[in-house]
Structures are given as structure tokens and as C-alpha cells.
Amino acid sequence: ENDLGSGTGVLKFAQVYNDFCVAFPYLKKWISLEKFEEYVKEALVEMRKVLAEKAAKAEAKISDIHN
């Protein structure tokens, strides 16, 4: 965000994929940019579910404390 600014999501994503390819060059043969994007989107969906569950548990604990 600091380097590229806002509104540059595609460019940021391409940079992340490039960093992935540098870190794991042997995987680039099997994981295309499109497949990588699919994996990232799936991971984000799962992450949002986990965060929502944790937030709900935290809110329930806070509610229990105040009641």
C-alpha cells in the first residue's frame, strides 16, 4: 500500500505473485497467475469466515462479562 498507493489492486496482486515465484521458482511451472489468484480468493473467503467466527465469540464473551 505504501509503495503503490490505493486503487492498484491488480498491480499489487501481480507483485505478490512475482514474489511467490521468486520464493518458490519450482512451483511457477504448475501454478499460473490465474490459479494463484483462485487459491488466494479461496483463502480469503476462509479467512473471513474464521475472523467472523472469532469476532462473534469475542462479542459473546464481552456480552457475558457485561451481563
Side-chain angles (χ1 to χ4, degrees):
E1 193 71 25
N2 292 337
D3 292 339
L4 300 174
S6 62
T8 56
V10 173
L11 185 57
K12 289 176 196 169
F13 189 82
Q15 185 172 356
V16 169
Y17 179 69
N18 184 58
D19 292 346
F20 166 79
C21 291
V22 169
F24 306 100
Y26 51 91
L27 292 178
K28 185 178 180 179
K29 295 178 191 177
W30 296 288
I31 301 177
S32 65
L33 176 62
E34 293 78 18
K35 185 53 98 172
F36 185 79
E37 182 177 17
E38 182 182 321
Y39 291 152
V40 169
K41 286 180 179 181
E42 289 172 7
L44 288 172
V45 167
E46 189 62 30
M47 180 191 70
R48 288 184 183 114
K49 286 180 193 176
V50 169
L51 290 174
E53 290 170 6
K54 289 187 179 284
K57 288 179 183 178
E59 287 179 29
K61 285 183 181 181
I62 291 170
S63 179
D64 288 346
I65 292 170
H66 291 291
N67 290 331

